[in-house]
Amino acid sequence: MIRFQDVAKTFRRTAVLERVSLDILKGDRIALVGSNGAGKTTLIRCLLGEYVHEGRVWVDGLEPRRARREVLARVGFVPQIPPPLKMPVGELVGFAASVCGSDPARMVAVMAELGLDYDRIRRLPFVKLSGGMKQKTLIGVALGRPSDILIMDEPAANLDPEARHIFFRLLAARKDDGIMLITSHRLDEVAALVNRVVEMDMGRVVLDDRVADTVDMASRMACRVTLVRPDEAFARTIADWGFEGGGTHWRGPVNGPDRLRFFAMLSRYTGLIAGLEMAEGKREGNPCATEKV
């Protein structure tokens, strides 16, 4: 169990956390949401033992500031902003594996699942990678190590639709193994991943609620979109989702956890859409049937 008790943090006389108290239990998959500056990342940094703060933090009775090595050995962490590391990717993977006593091959295997060619980038400095490559590398390091606490700060940022689908599937396979804490400033980005929502505002917890846990994180929807007329802006947007077609007819897959984001995108083009067909996709490796909805 993770416990925050009256945790407060001030930077240059500005209160960033205001007496936050929160208990997190095994099996909790929490969306930690709130606007930028709400205190989400600061709370995580306190959990990782990086900040001196008022109040207490425990991870199964251990205080991260005093037992940082023991606590971090249990944590898989994906930061919001990739660190500016100049070391080659291969050295980074080797170092991360040695710190937690893991097999680097497991980290490389996760990267490969996400579509990252490790052999091509292993000698490149991490800082020189594209945003998507950095994110896949960090996810590979976090999910390729033994851990029962996953902490992810905007984890799907910079991932292409196919990598997002695989990422959600990997998380689904681990959803009962421990604790997941996922930060986001948008609930729709992480709604399908979680069973609890904690909202922060101005350094305080303003909402803590359980949510329905019914969306299959590994599912896909087969989708067809018909337009009233061709539109270049729509074509560019829908192509980014991996859809194929042209003119007034487009078709492609939508990952289960991305449904809310997909409908939000379509809402911007309501006047253009003449028809929409979606169908529940079958499991991995099987074709999707189609039907009107």
Side-chain angles (χ1 to χ4, degrees), residues 2 5 18 22 32 47 63 70 86 108-109 115 125 141-142 177 179-180 189 203 224 242 244 247-248 289:
I2 298 172
Q5 180 178 306
E18 300 251 14
L22 191 67
L32 184 62
L47 173 58
E63 295 186 66
E70 292 89 339
K86 296 181 179 180
V108 173
V141 169
D177 291 347
I179 289 171
M180 291 185 190
E189 288 278 345
R224 294 179 181 176
E244 298 179 348
T248 59

Side-chain angles (χ1 to χ4, degrees), residues 32 151 164 206 220 273:
L32 184 62
I151 301 175
R164 284 176 61 90
V206 296
R220 274 186 169 175
I273 296 175

